Amino acid sequence: MNNIEIRNLHFYYDKEEEILKGLNLNFDERSTAIIGQNGAGKTTFVKLLKGLLRPKSGDIIINGINTKSVSAAKLSKHIGMVFQNPDDQIFKNKVIDEVMFGPLNIGQSREEAKKTQNLLLRKLAYLMRLIKIHMILA
């Protein structure tokens, strides 16, 4: 089950200027992009989804879990974020260390993280082959 439900979400940094006002949304397992003008509240919204900020009122339910009731670390098992600028995303010197960063930070042992990164890199290689085949056939 991959579902995010936003119920009557309100958020502000300053009470005089509410940023998100009564937002109601549902996301399923399909990929979703959050786009908008500078200052529209995209980063604030994503920080709320990740549990880095807490709603002033309303609820964010991710796979049945209310973000108000768990830590950001626990939420990271259910929701991730890719930065717009790759220079902000990659910060390790080796690909293996970069891929293992996430699993290590959700509590996997080094051995488990190595197995996870091997699986992920094999899946990525497979997807890259499929894309290449698709491009040749297109």
Side-chain angles (χ1 to χ4, degrees):
M1 172 178 82
N2 292 315
N3 186 53
I4 299 173
E5 184 179 353
I6 313 300
R7 297 181 193 157
N8 198 29
L9 178 66
H10 291 261
F11 183 82
Y12 54 83
Y13 294 101
D14 177 355
K15 283 186 177 185
E16 304 299 316
E17 188 177 345
E18 193 170 20
I19 296 169
L20 300 173
K21 304 172 188 174
L23 192 61
N24 291 290
L25 296 167
N26 278 298
F27 300 102
D28 57 24
E29 69 280 348
R30 294 173 288 183
S31 295
T32 302
I34 311 286
I35 60 173
Q37 296 177 342
N38 289 346
K42 300 178 301 292
T43 300
T44 297
F45 180 61
V46 171
K47 285 181 178 180
L48 285 158
L49 291 176
K50 295 277 299 155
L52 300 172
L53 295 173
R54 301 291 182 191
K56 298 301 181 182
S57 66
D59 294 292
I60 300 171
I61 312 295
I62 299 176
N63 295 334
I65 300 166
N66 192 317
T67 61
K68 292 177 181 175
S69 64
V70 295
S71 69
K74 289 190 180 188
L75 281 174
S76 70
K77 293 179 182 181
H78 300 276
I79 188 165
M81 174 174 62
V82 177
F83 295 98
Q84 181 176 345
N85 183 347
D87 291 336
D88 295 335
Q89 181 77 23
I90 298 171
F91 52 92
K92 297 288 186 179
N93 291 327
K94 297 178 183 174
V95 172
I96 189 170
D97 293 331
E98 187 70 33
V99 177
M100 286 176 58
F101 180 81
L104 289 170
N105 279 292
I106 61 169
Q108 286 188 4
S109 69
R110 189 142 186 90
E111 184 177 311
E112 288 174 308
K114 193 166 186 121
K115 287 178 185 176
T116 299
Q117 70 83 28
N118 280 331
L119 176 65
L120 291 172
L121 290 176
R122 274 188 266 129
K123 285 183 176 183
L124 180 60
Y126 176 72
L127 287 172
M128 295 302 290
R129 283 193 300 272
L130 288 177
I131 291 169
K132 188 175 181 180
I133 290 169
H134 177 75
M135 291 175 75
I136 291 170
L137 296 176

